[in-house]
Amino acid sequence: MRIDIITVLPELLKSPFEASILKRAIDKKLVEVHFHNLREYTSNNYKQVDDYQFGGGAGMVMMIEPIDLCISKLTSQRDYDEIIYMTPDGETLNQQTSNSLSLLKNIIILCGHYKGVDQRVRDAFITKEISIGDYVLSGGELGAAVLCDTIIRLLPGVLNDETSALTDSFQDGLLAPPVYTRPAEYKGMKVPDILLSGNFGKIEEWREQKAHERTQQLRPDLLE
Ligand code: ADE
């Protein structure tokens, strides 16, 4: 998979890809992530990417030209399955969306800033708009990092057995059951006996039951 991220702040975005699972995925060549600094696509001397909005009103708007130049250069080099715009008014990200995006070959992610991008960018180029939640970030970069993390950890070979995505919360529509590790007793707090029983059939049943209980208690909306 190849991910191209268009941003005015590449430095804000890079560190999540330089550590841990994302770095390993890149080092193992399971994913390529490329950053494109929108200021390099400006035609004015000030490398200006935004301007006042027509009709007046507070806040700057990202101009169409640099975005067009950047997206057009990328799409002239290869086909893209999705051109995603990170925005608080997009569809809220969930595991299902990440699962389907992880099956794609090439995607572009455009990070918004200020009041967002000129509407014509959205009308002409964007195929999918994603929000990471009902709150406003100062820019799309942190949202793009979250989106990339959820996608990349699903790519074949990125996680090993110990970190397998199959048993994650949400993967079967439920929250994950509680987990424990050594010691079996700590300051009087005991690990449930069943987990020490060695009876894997019963353990699996217990986990399913706990996953249902936890989901019922914390996120009943997931069961509807
Ligand atoms: N940009 C600003 N807020 C955002 C959000 N909640 N999700 C994605 N991109 C954003």
Side-chain angles (χ1 to χ4, degrees):
M1 181 178 205
R2 175 182 169 118
I3 305 177
D4 288 276
I5 306 179
I6 303 174
T7 167
V8 287
L9 278 173
E11 61 277 22
L12 179 60
L13 245 179
K14 284 187 175 164
S15 70
F17 299 91
E18 288 164 1
S20 184
I21 286 172
L22 300 192
K23 175 176 177 358
R24 209 176 59 209
I26 292 167
D27 289 348
K28 283 166 87 179
K29 304 210 184 314
L30 300 170
V31 64
E32 274 180 45
V33 183
H34 299 268
F35 302 93
H36 305 277
N37 189 338
L38 207 50
R39 290 192 201 282
E40 288 167 17
Y41 294 84
T42 49
S43 49
N44 53 73
N45 288 339
Y46 307 102
K47 296 196 182 299
Q48 186 187 345
V49 293
D50 57 332
D51 210 335
Y52 296 101
Q53 45 178 318
F54 280 125
M60 307 292 274
V61 175
M62 287 169 71
M63 294 187 289
I64 190 169
E65 189 187 35
I67 298 173
D68 179 19
L69 291 175
C70 185
I71 290 180
S72 300
K73 181 176 158 197
L74 290 171
T75 53
S76 72
Q77 292 165 345
R78 66 194 66 74
D79 288 333
Y80 284 89
D81 303 299
E82 295 281 9
I83 302 182
I84 300 167
Y85 173 49
M86 301 307 300
T87 174
D89 54 8
E91 71 176 80
T92 311
L93 181 62
N94 58 28
Q95 191 62 44
Q96 229 174 321
T97 303
S98 298
N99 289 351
S100 37
L101 292 175
S102 76
L103 301 173
L104 303 180
K105 197 160 177 286
N106 300 314
I107 63 173
I108 292 175
I109 303 176
L110 171 65
C111 303
H113 256 268
Y114 322 109
K115 278 279 161 203
V117 297
D118 188 306
Q119 180 59 38
R120 290 169 293 185
V121 169
R122 301 168 75 159
D123 297 342
F125 306 123
I126 300 301
T127 60
K128 198 174 188 61
E129 304 190 326
I130 295 181
S131 161
I132 64 160
D134 288 343
Y135 40 78
V136 179
L137 301 165
S138 2
E141 282 75 13
L142 296 177
V146 168
L147 176 63
C148 288
D149 185 289
T150 65
I151 294 172
I152 292 171
R153 61 195 297 285
L154 296 172
L155 300 177
V158 171
L159 299 185
N160 49 33
D161 267 359
E162 288 83 69
T163 50
S164 161
L166 288 175
T167 55
D168 285 342
S169 277
F170 304 113
Q171 211 42 279
D172 54 2
L174 297 174
L175 302 182
V179 292
Y180 300 86
T181 186
R182 289 188 295 174
E185 182 173 345
Y186 183 72
K187 295 186 177 174
M189 294 179 282
K190 287 187 175 161
V191 170
D193 286 336
I194 180 81
L195 296 178
L196 310 174
S197 69
N199 183 335
F200 294 105
K202 285 262 183 272
I203 289 173
E204 207 34 55
E205 255 174 55
W206 180 88
R207 285 185 172 146
E208 270 172 40
Q209 187 200 331
K210 288 291 167 191
H212 272 276
E213 279 174 22
R214 189 174 261 193
T215 309
Q216 182 66 255
Q217 201 173 19
L218 301 174
R219 291 292 307 278
D221 57 297
L222 293 175
L223 298 171
E224 276 159 19

